[in-house]
Structure formats: C-alpha cells, structure tokens
Amino acid sequence: MDPLNDWIRAIRAEGVVLVRTRVAAPWGFSVPPRNAVVFHFVAQGRAFVRRPDAETVELRSGELVLFPRGSAHEVAHSEHGKAMPLDIFLARWDGVVDNDAKASTLICGQYNLDQHLALPALRAMPPAISLHAGIEPGHSPLRNTLRMLSDEVEAPNFGNQIVVRNLISSLFVYFVREWSEASSSRAGDWFSAMRSPSLAHVLTRMHESPNYAWTLEELAREAGLSRAAFARHFSTLIGEPPHTYLTRWRMGIAAQLLEETNLRLAEIASRVGYQSEFSFSRAFKSVRGVSPIHHRRTASNSG
C-alpha cells in the first residue's frame, strides 16, 4: 500500500467549479479566505494573481496556481487591475464567452476535502503554488487533464458539467503527485516523508490497522529505529508526534464510518482502536470539534 495514495483516497477531495469564463479586459475578482483548496487555471490569455504581502504572479496560457489553505487573494487582467467581489463577478461573467481575440479563458475552482486528514500535507505546502504544465498533448497526466478541461470549457457539449467535475477531481490527484515528486528531495518536507522507506512503512501499518493498540516502541521497531530517533524523525517530517497523527487518522476513518454507515458507536470505536464509546467520543470531539453523534446528524442533514 502506498501511504500517499491512501492519504489521497481518505481526504476525499471533491472538485467544485467556481468560475468558467472567457472574458476580455478589464476584469478582476477577489476571493475571500475559505476552508478549501482553491485553484486558478489560465487556458488562454493571461491573468495576474495578487496576495497580501506577496509578489504578484503572472499566469500565462497553460499555467496554474493553487492555494492549499484557501488564503485570500485577487485575480485580475493586469497587475493593478481592479477586483470586484467574487459573487458579483460570477453574476456578471460566469459562463460568458467573449469573442475578443485578447480575451482570457479562466477555469477556477476549489476542492472540498477532509481538512483534518489533509492537514499534515497542507501545512507543508507554501501559501500558493504556481505550476506551468501547458495544454499541448504530451505524456504528462496533468498536462493531458488540463488540455481536456480546456476543451470542455471552450466547447461545451453533452454531459459537460459531469465531465468537468470529474476532470477537476483528477486534476487534484495529478497536481499533488507532481508536487510530491518535485518536493521529495527537500529535507523536512511532508511529502519527502512519504518517500522515506522507514516512515512510509510505518504510515502504511498505521493506515492498514487503525484498530491496533500501537505503542511508540512497536512503531519504532517497524521503522527500524530507536524509540527516540523514530519519534524525532517522525515529528520533524510529519509535523506532529506519531500518536497525534495516528489519532487524527483514526478519527478521520471514524468520521467516514459515521457518515456512510449505520454502525453503532461501539462498533466504530472498536474499528479505530478504542475499547469504549466514552473514550472514543472524547477523542473524536477533541480532534474534530464535535461529538460523533453530532457529526453523524450533521452529515445526514447535509446529505
């Protein structure tokens, strides 16, 4: 089992389109902070992305910027172009196709995901990540996905919304994959931990058996390290102690069981390593902020 793939499946990133438009200057919109991963892709033309206390980034055709922690930013036709609130921009321009030769084609969206399970990776990423993938046919899955996404936006056809939604979900996986490969050589990076044989093995064992009563000594033995060396190595790369990560993972699995099954709390507690409902409920509320019963009720009402 690959712990990175396991992590991607667990966080269940769901792509949502915010903006699909081909618009000529002047234009601009501001995106307020949100509890989601936000991206902007320029299929044609260019755009300028501004952040408080950061340099303005110019995106040209085939370039993508992603905000892992959903921080506030602005996107406009020029470096100093005015930006209106996103909801006003959407009301005016979303879905509009401007035939001006200098118009820019934008595809913007967000990923709603399990923020608790995603936290170690999101915390390791910078506030904004720019990537030039291009949209020409090639061997890169990310490039091919962006090309197909661009085609769907430029020429909507039968089932367009379904295709776009699925492409955006795939886009997240390919982006994370390329980012993890590019960052794997940097020390102290969460994604490099996924490539560390000793830590990858430990994470795989945690993910495979969340119900097992792991001790620090057993985890260190799985990693082939002393207890002190393992604890230090894990905390440095993952960003939190082993049992903090394990508890976060257990509560993420529990949250999914609460949402997707009718299992009793005692059964869910047992599946994630707790012998009593009380200890499980206390741990769940500590990590997720609400009781298991409240989480299940909220998920049921939202569904």
XYZ file of all heavy atoms in Angstrom, residues 33-113:
632
model
N -10.980 34.411 2.129
C -10.473 33.155 2.714
C -11.583 32.117 2.776
O -12.736 32.440 3.055
C -10.028 33.573 4.119
C -9.850 35.049 4.055
C -10.841 35.545 3.054
N -11.232 30.864 2.495
C -12.230 29.810 2.566
C -11.579 28.510 3.021
O -10.389 28.302 2.839
C -12.939 29.621 1.229
C -12.049 29.409 0.036
C -12.870 29.388 -1.253
N -13.581 30.639 -1.440
C -14.761 30.746 -2.063
N -15.353 29.689 -2.556
N -15.348 31.917 -2.201
N -12.395 27.661 3.602
C -11.921 26.396 4.147
C -11.883 25.338 3.044
O -12.593 24.341 3.078
C -12.846 25.960 5.292
C -12.242 24.845 6.122
O -11.022 24.747 6.264
N -13.084 23.991 6.660
N -11.031 25.591 2.041
C -10.938 24.705 0.887
C -9.636 25.012 0.154
O -9.003 26.044 0.375
C -12.129 24.914 -0.049
N -9.234 24.098 -0.711
C -8.095 24.315 -1.598
C -8.634 24.986 -2.859
O -9.567 24.481 -3.489
C -7.414 22.984 -1.957
C -6.274 23.217 -2.944
C -6.905 22.280 -0.703
N -8.063 26.117 -3.240
C -8.560 26.898 -4.377
C -7.524 26.895 -5.496
O -6.316 26.947 -5.236
C -8.860 28.356 -3.947
C -9.349 29.179 -5.135
C -9.883 28.376 -2.819
N -7.977 26.821 -6.750
C -7.043 26.873 -7.875
C -7.587 27.785 -8.969
O -8.795 28.025 -9.076
C -6.799 25.470 -8.455
C -7.929 24.939 -9.289
C -7.985 25.183 -10.655
C -8.954 24.207 -8.712
C -9.029 24.703 -11.433
C -9.998 23.717 -9.475
C -10.035 23.973 -10.837
N -6.657 28.288 -9.805
C -6.994 29.080 -10.984
C -6.127 28.590 -12.136
O -4.903 28.485 -12.005
C -6.740 30.570 -10.751
C -7.464 31.125 -9.567
N -8.824 31.341 -9.560
C -7.014 31.475 -8.325
C -9.184 31.820 -8.370
N -8.111 31.902 -7.614
N -6.749 28.306 -13.259
C -6.051 27.830 -14.444
C -6.363 28.749 -15.610
O -7.525 29.034 -15.901
C -6.486 26.394 -14.766
C -5.981 25.889 -16.088
C -4.624 25.872 -16.374
C -6.872 25.425 -17.053
C -4.162 25.401 -17.597
C -6.420 24.952 -18.274
C -5.059 24.941 -18.544
N -5.312 29.237 -16.272
C -5.472 30.093 -17.448
C -5.315 29.213 -18.684
O -4.206 28.778 -19.012
C -4.438 31.231 -17.458
C -4.605 32.084 -18.716
C -4.583 32.100 -16.219
N -6.423 28.912 -19.335
C -6.388 28.081 -20.537
C -5.940 28.888 -21.752
O -5.345 28.341 -22.687
C -7.760 27.465 -20.794
N -6.221 30.194 -21.718
C -5.842 31.067 -22.830
C -5.717 32.482 -22.306
O -6.477 32.903 -21.434
C -6.881 31.005 -23.945
C -6.506 31.783 -25.193
C -7.527 31.598 -26.309
O -8.453 30.808 -26.191
N -7.370 32.336 -27.402
N -4.745 33.239 -22.844
C -4.556 34.613 -22.398
C -3.637 34.690 -21.198
O -2.653 33.947 -21.088
N -3.981 35.560 -20.240
C -3.169 35.691 -19.038
C -3.989 36.273 -17.908
O -5.085 36.802 -18.103
C -1.947 36.569 -19.305
C -2.275 38.027 -19.628
C -0.980 38.817 -19.793
N -1.245 40.241 -20.005
C -0.302 41.176 -20.029
N 0.976 40.828 -19.882
N -0.606 42.445 -20.207
N -3.436 36.162 -16.720
C -4.089 36.700 -15.526
C -3.004 37.020 -14.502
O -1.913 36.437 -14.532
C -5.093 35.703 -14.949
N -3.313 37.948 -13.619
C -2.385 38.321 -12.551
C -3.019 37.963 -11.210
O -4.183 38.292 -10.957
C -2.060 39.816 -12.605
C -1.197 40.202 -13.779
C -1.764 40.406 -15.034
C 0.175 40.358 -13.633
C -0.976 40.742 -16.120
C 0.971 40.697 -14.714
C 0.393 40.902 -15.964
N -2.251 37.279 -10.383
C -2.732 36.836 -9.077
C -2.010 37.623 -7.993
O -0.770 37.631 -7.935
C -2.504 35.327 -8.879
C -3.020 34.873 -7.521
C -3.180 34.536 -9.995
N -2.784 38.294 -7.165
C -2.223 39.145 -6.105
C -2.575 38.588 -4.732
O -3.711 38.144 -4.513
C -2.748 40.572 -6.237
C -2.494 41.204 -7.596
C -2.867 42.678 -7.581
N -4.285 42.893 -7.386
C -5.128 43.274 -8.349
N -4.676 43.459 -9.583
N -6.402 43.461 -8.104
N -1.598 38.637 -3.816
C -1.804 38.231 -2.430
C -1.267 39.306 -1.513
O -0.282 39.981 -1.845
C -1.076 36.919 -2.132
C -1.595 35.713 -2.860
C -0.878 34.462 -2.364
N 0.518 34.426 -2.749
C 1.528 34.114 -1.937
N 1.276 33.845 -0.657
N 2.765 34.076 -2.366
N -1.868 39.491 -0.340
C -1.339 40.467 0.612
C 0.093 40.099 1.011
O 0.396 38.931 1.262
C -2.298 40.349 1.811
C -3.543 39.755 1.253
C -3.098 38.841 0.145
N 0.965 41.073 1.026
C 2.349 40.881 1.476
C 3.098 39.831 0.650
O 3.937 39.077 1.174
C 2.391 40.490 2.957
C 1.682 41.514 3.834
O 1.853 42.721 3.578
O 0.959 41.098 4.759
N 2.786 39.748 -0.644
C 3.483 38.805 -1.522
C 3.576 39.398 -2.916
O 2.798 40.284 -3.288
C 2.755 37.462 -1.562
N 4.547 38.936 -3.680
C 4.710 39.423 -5.049
C 3.545 38.965 -5.933
O 3.018 37.865 -5.770
C 6.024 38.914 -5.644
C 7.270 39.503 -5.003
C 8.529 39.062 -5.718
O 8.407 38.359 -6.747
O 9.633 39.415 -5.262
N 3.165 39.821 -6.874
C 2.128 39.468 -7.838
C 2.674 38.433 -8.814
O 3.812 38.527 -9.269
C 1.662 40.717 -8.607
O 1.083 41.643 -7.683
C 0.627 40.353 -9.668
N 1.869 37.428 -9.112
C 2.275 36.359 -10.015
C 1.491 36.478 -11.320
O 0.264 36.597 -11.302
C 2.018 34.978 -9.380
C 2.335 33.862 -10.384
C 2.852 34.809 -8.119
N 2.201 36.461 -12.450
C 1.539 36.483 -13.745
C 1.374 35.050 -14.251
O 2.335 34.278 -14.292
C 2.339 37.286 -14.762
C 1.657 37.341 -16.139
C 2.465 38.101 -17.169
O 3.601 38.523 -16.859
O 1.960 38.266 -18.299
N 0.151 34.698 -14.613
C -0.138 33.390 -15.186
C -0.415 33.557 -16.670
O -1.255 34.362 -17.064
C -1.355 32.751 -14.513
C -1.271 32.460 -13.015
C -2.581 31.849 -12.544
C -0.110 31.531 -12.703
N 0.283 32.794 -17.474
C 0.037 32.786 -18.909
C -0.637 31.485 -19.312
O -0.865 30.608 -18.479
C 1.357 32.987 -19.660
C 1.962 34.385 -19.441
C 3.189 34.601 -20.302
N 3.728 35.963 -20.132
C 3.320 37.005 -20.838
N 2.375 36.846 -21.765
N 3.837 38.201 -20.645
N -0.953 31.366 -20.586
C -1.676 30.204 -21.085
C -0.986 28.903 -20.648
O 0.215 28.734 -20.824
C -1.753 30.264 -22.613
O -2.415 29.134 -23.128
N -1.763 28.010 -20.062
C -1.236 26.733 -19.621
C -0.680 26.741 -18.221
O -0.126 25.731 -17.771
N -0.827 27.840 -17.487
C -0.289 27.927 -16.135
C -1.400 27.872 -15.101
O -2.517 28.329 -15.331
C 0.562 29.181 -15.976
C 1.824 29.135 -16.824
C 2.746 30.320 -16.596
O 2.246 31.401 -16.226
O 3.962 30.162 -16.803
N -1.025 27.356 -13.948
C -1.977 27.060 -12.881
C -1.418 27.556 -11.562
O -0.210 27.472 -11.320
C -2.188 25.544 -12.827
C -3.041 24.936 -11.718
C -4.512 25.104 -12.055
C -2.716 23.448 -11.585
N -2.282 28.084 -10.708
C -1.875 28.429 -9.347
C -2.862 27.782 -8.391
O -4.067 27.725 -8.653
C -1.825 29.962 -9.128
C -3.201 30.594 -9.274
C -1.222 30.291 -7.765
N -2.333 27.261 -7.293
C -3.164 26.569 -6.314
C -2.882 27.132 -4.928
O -1.725 27.360 -4.561
C -2.883 25.065 -6.358
C -3.722 24.172 -5.447
C -4.134 22.911 -6.205
C -2.946 23.784 -4.195
N -3.956 27.362 -4.159
C -3.860 27.873 -2.799
C -4.259 26.746 -1.845
O -5.445 26.516 -1.601
C -4.769 29.089 -2.607
C -4.347 30.296 -3.392
C -4.718 30.447 -4.726
C -3.553 31.266 -2.816
C -4.316 31.554 -5.471
C -3.140 32.381 -3.541
C -3.525 32.527 -4.872
N -3.279 26.019 -1.301
C -3.590 24.848 -0.472
C -4.441 25.149 0.751
O -5.240 24.304 1.172
C -2.203 24.333 -0.060
C -1.281 24.851 -1.123
C -1.841 26.189 -1.492
N -4.274 26.323 1.330
C -5.011 26.638 2.554
C -6.102 27.687 2.328
O -6.613 28.278 3.286
C -4.032 27.084 3.646
C -3.086 25.953 4.058
C -2.194 26.315 5.211
N -1.161 27.277 4.861
C -0.014 26.954 4.248
N 0.210 25.709 3.886
N 0.896 27.874 3.972
N -6.438 27.928 1.075
C -7.554 28.810 0.762
C -7.398 30.238 1.234
O -8.385 30.881 1.611
N -6.173 30.770 1.218
C -5.941 32.138 1.697
C -6.529 33.168 0.732
O -6.751 32.897 -0.451
C -4.444 32.385 1.876
O -3.737 32.077 0.693
N -6.774 34.374 1.234
C -7.383 35.440 0.440
C -6.446 35.883 -0.690
O -5.219 35.954 -0.513
C -7.716 36.623 1.330
N -7.020 36.206 -1.849
C -6.225 36.671 -2.980
C -7.133 37.322 -4.017
O -8.360 37.266 -3.900
C -5.455 35.510 -3.618
C -6.337 34.396 -4.086
N -6.832 33.411 -3.252
C -6.835 34.098 -5.323
C -7.578 32.563 -3.928
N -7.600 32.965 -5.202
N -6.510 37.946 -5.018
C -7.239 38.584 -6.110
C -6.685 38.103 -7.445
O -5.495 37.794 -7.564
C -7.107 40.112 -6.027
C -7.734 40.717 -4.784
C -7.566 42.222 -4.706
O -6.659 42.751 -5.417
O -8.317 42.867 -3.952
N -7.557 38.047 -8.436
C -7.170 37.665 -9.798
C -7.706 38.743 -10.735
O -8.887 39.098 -10.656
C -7.753 36.291 -10.187
C -7.250 35.872 -11.570
C -7.397 35.235 -9.148
N -6.847 39.260 -11.613
C -7.274 40.355 -12.482
C -6.553 40.300 -13.820
O -5.598 39.546 -14.006
C -7.018 41.696 -11.801
N -7.014 41.158 -14.773
C -6.456 41.163 -16.122
C -5.088 41.822 -16.176
O -4.327 41.622 -17.131
C -7.404 41.908 -17.072
C -7.415 43.390 -16.854
N -8.115 43.994 -15.825
C -6.788 44.404 -17.528
C -7.937 45.294 -15.881
N -7.151 45.573 -16.889
N -4.767 42.653 -15.179
C -3.481 43.347 -15.163
C -2.952 43.390 -13.732
O -3.662 43.066 -12.774
C -3.614 44.773 -15.714
O -4.382 45.573 -14.827
N -1.717 43.807 -13.606
C -1.069 43.803 -12.291
C -1.787 44.689 -11.286
O -1.822 44.398 -10.099
C 0.392 44.244 -12.450
C 1.212 44.098 -11.186
C 2.692 44.328 -11.428
O 3.070 44.615 -12.593
O 3.460 44.232 -10.464
N -2.370 45.790 -11.785
C -3.044 46.727 -10.881
C -4.540 46.847 -11.189
O -5.189 47.798 -10.749
C -2.384 48.109 -10.972
C -0.914 48.083 -10.650
N -0.436 47.858 -9.379
C 0.173 48.232 -11.460
C 0.895 47.874 -9.398
N 1.287 48.104 -10.654
N -5.086 45.896 -11.920
C -6.499 45.951 -12.272
C -7.409 45.836 -11.061
O -7.086 45.152 -10.080
N -8.550 46.493 -11.127
C -9.495 46.460 -10.017
C -10.135 45.076 -9.912
O -10.344 44.395 -10.912
C -10.570 47.527 -10.202
C -10.048 48.943 -10.102
C -11.181 49.962 -10.215
C -10.654 51.390 -10.078
N -11.755 52.391 -10.175
N -10.463 44.713 -8.674
C -11.070 43.397 -8.419
C -12.384 43.581 -7.670
O -12.421 44.214 -6.609
C -10.120 42.527 -7.605
N -13.460 43.038 -8.229
C -14.758 43.096 -7.569
C -14.959 41.823 -6.743
O -14.264 40.814 -6.956
C -15.865 43.223 -8.614
C -16.007 42.018 -9.541
S -17.294 42.233 -10.809
C -16.556 43.546 -11.812
N -15.868 41.839 -5.781
C -16.148 40.616 -5.017
C -16.502 39.455 -5.933
O -17.132 39.640 -6.987
C -17.327 41.028 -4.129
C -17.196 42.510 -3.986
C -16.658 42.987 -5.311
N -16.105 38.260 -5.540
C -16.290 37.088 -6.387
C -17.751 36.861 -6.755
O -18.056 36.538 -7.911
C -15.742 35.841 -5.674
C -15.904 34.509 -6.414
C -15.182 34.542 -7.752
C -15.403 33.364 -5.547
N -18.675 37.055 -5.809
C -20.082 36.782 -6.114
C -20.630 37.732 -7.175
O -21.433 37.339 -8.023
C -20.930 36.845 -4.838
C -20.797 38.171 -4.103
O -19.845 38.932 -4.387
O -21.644 38.450 -3.237
N -20.151 38.979 -7.166
C -20.583 39.943 -8.190
C -19.988 39.562 -9.548
O -20.661 39.622 -10.588
C -20.179 41.374 -7.790
C -20.883 41.787 -6.497
C -20.502 42.358 -8.920
C -20.499 43.157 -6.000
N -18.712 39.165 -9.541
C -18.070 38.743 -10.793
C -18.797 37.540 -11.390
O -19.047 37.486 -12.602
C -16.605 38.399 -10.533
C -15.863 37.946 -11.753
C -15.257 38.863 -12.593
C -15.777 36.595 -12.075
C -14.587 38.454 -13.739
C -15.099 36.174 -13.206
C -14.507 37.104 -14.046
N -19.156 36.577 -10.547
C -19.855 35.388 -11.025
C -21.197 35.747 -11.661
O -21.580 35.194 -12.694
C -20.060 34.404 -9.871
C -18.808 33.693 -9.345
C -19.136 32.872 -8.109
C -18.202 32.815 -10.421
N -21.912 36.667 -11.031
C -23.216 37.065 -11.560
C -23.076 37.708 -12.943
O -23.973 37.571 -13.793
C -23.896 38.032 -10.587
N -21.948 38.375 -13.188
C -21.773 39.075 -14.463
C -21.106 38.218 -15.537
O -21.464 38.296 -16.720
C -20.917 40.330 -14.251
C -21.575 41.402 -13.422
C -20.681 42.642 -13.381
N -21.236 43.687 -12.530
C -20.655 44.864 -12.318
N -19.505 45.140 -12.910
N -21.214 45.760 -11.527
N -20.120 37.407 -15.134
C -19.241 36.814 -16.131
C -19.200 35.289 -16.157
O -18.671 34.718 -17.120
C -17.800 37.326 -15.917
C -17.669 38.794 -16.071
C -17.438 39.706 -15.094
C -17.780 39.548 -17.278
N -17.382 40.974 -15.601
C -17.597 40.907 -16.954
C -18.009 39.214 -18.615
C -17.626 41.914 -17.899
C -18.043 40.222 -19.562
C -17.854 41.554 -19.204
N -19.682 34.604 -15.151
C -19.570 33.154 -15.145
C -20.316 32.546 -16.330
O -21.500 32.822 -16.543
C -20.118 32.567 -13.840
C -19.834 31.082 -13.722
O -18.763 30.646 -14.175
O -20.675 30.357 -13.165
N -19.624 31.728 -17.118
C -20.231 31.090 -18.275
C -20.260 31.945 -19.523
O -20.670 31.482 -20.591
N -19.817 33.196 -19.416
C -19.822 34.106 -20.570
C -18.648 33.774 -21.499
O -17.548 33.446 -21.046
C -19.724 35.573 -20.094
C -19.517 36.509 -21.284
C -20.974 35.959 -19.320
N -18.876 33.858 -22.795
C -17.820 33.637 -23.787
C -17.668 34.912 -24.613
O -18.562 35.285 -25.369
C -18.150 32.450 -24.711
C -17.069 32.310 -25.785
C -18.261 31.163 -23.902
N -16.542 35.593 -24.444
C -16.251 36.826 -25.171
C -15.368 36.471 -26.365
O -14.337 35.818 -26.214
C -15.518 37.804 -24.243
C -15.462 39.215 -24.817
O -15.230 39.342 -26.036
O -15.640 40.174 -24.045
N -15.744 36.902 -27.550
C -15.013 36.559 -28.768
C -13.829 37.475 -29.059
O -13.160 37.319 -30.089
C -15.966 36.565 -29.966
C -16.984 35.443 -29.883
O -16.657 34.335 -29.461
N -18.225 35.741 -30.274
N -13.545 38.405 -28.169
C -12.388 39.278 -28.342
C -11.117 38.424 -28.411
O -10.910 37.527 -27.601
C -12.302 40.254 -27.163
C -11.273 41.350 -27.396
O -10.096 41.010 -27.663
O -11.624 42.526 -27.286
N -10.243 38.720 -29.364
C -9.027 37.926 -29.565
C -8.100 37.979 -28.360
O -7.292 37.065 -28.146
C -8.290 38.424 -30.807
N -8.190 39.041 -27.576
C -7.316 39.191 -26.411
C -7.966 38.714 -25.114
O -7.417 38.907 -24.032
C -6.891 40.653 -26.266
C -6.042 41.159 -27.422
C -5.595 42.586 -27.183
C -4.720 43.079 -28.327
N -4.270 44.483 -28.100
N -9.132 38.105 -25.222
C -9.832 37.634 -24.020
C -9.059 36.485 -23.365
O -8.330 35.747 -24.021
C -11.241 37.181 -24.375
N -9.241 36.360 -22.059
C -8.617 35.281 -21.296
C -9.664 34.236 -20.928
O -10.781 34.576 -20.544
C -7.966 35.828 -20.022
O -6.887 36.690 -20.328
N -9.276 32.967 -21.051
C -10.152 31.871 -20.656
C -9.691 31.342 -19.309
O -8.539 30.915 -19.166
C -10.127 30.735 -21.689
O -10.547 31.241 -22.960
C -11.055 29.605 -21.268
N -10.578 31.404 -18.333
C -10.244 31.012 -16.969
C -11.089 29.834 -16.514
O -12.283 29.766 -16.809
C -10.480 32.176 -16.000
C -9.777 33.501 -16.268
C -10.259 34.547 -15.270
C -8.277 33.334 -16.171
N -10.457 28.934 -15.806
C -11.160 27.853 -15.125
C -10.697 27.900 -13.676
O -9.518 27.677 -13.386
C -10.844 26.481 -15.733
C -11.113 26.483 -17.236
C -11.644 25.395 -15.030
C -10.582 25.265 -17.945
N -11.611 28.229 -12.785
C -11.275 28.364 -11.370
C -12.190 27.460 -10.552
O -13.353 27.240 -10.917
C -11.444 29.807 -10.895
S -10.636 31.032 -11.966
N -11.651 26.940 -9.483
C -12.466 26.050 -8.669
C -11.876 25.834 -7.301
O -10.880 26.462 -6.920
N -12.491 24.944 -6.561
C -11.998 24.616 -5.235
C -12.205 23.137 -4.963
O -13.013 22.471 -5.614
C -12.694 25.443 -4.161
C -14.158 25.099 -3.934
C -14.783 25.954 -2.855
O -14.509 27.147 -2.744
N -15.635 25.355 -2.036
N -11.438 22.641 -4.000
C -11.566 21.260 -3.563
C -12.043 21.241 -2.121
O -11.368 21.773 -1.227
C -10.224 20.534 -3.681
C -9.725 20.432 -5.093
C -8.704 21.254 -5.552
C -10.284 19.526 -5.990
C -8.247 21.172 -6.857
C -9.836 19.436 -7.297
C -8.819 20.263 -7.719
O -8.375 20.182 -9.015
N -13.214 20.676 -1.922
C -13.703 20.459 -0.571
C -13.180 19.097 -0.123
O -13.394 18.090 -0.803
C -15.234 20.479 -0.558
C -15.780 21.787 -1.079
O -15.245 22.864 -0.784
N -16.824 21.737 -1.880
N -12.476 19.054 0.974
C -11.866 17.819 1.428
C -11.869 17.750 2.951
O -12.258 18.692 3.629
C -10.443 17.680 0.878
C -9.529 18.925 0.872
C -9.000 19.224 2.248
C -8.389 18.748 -0.107
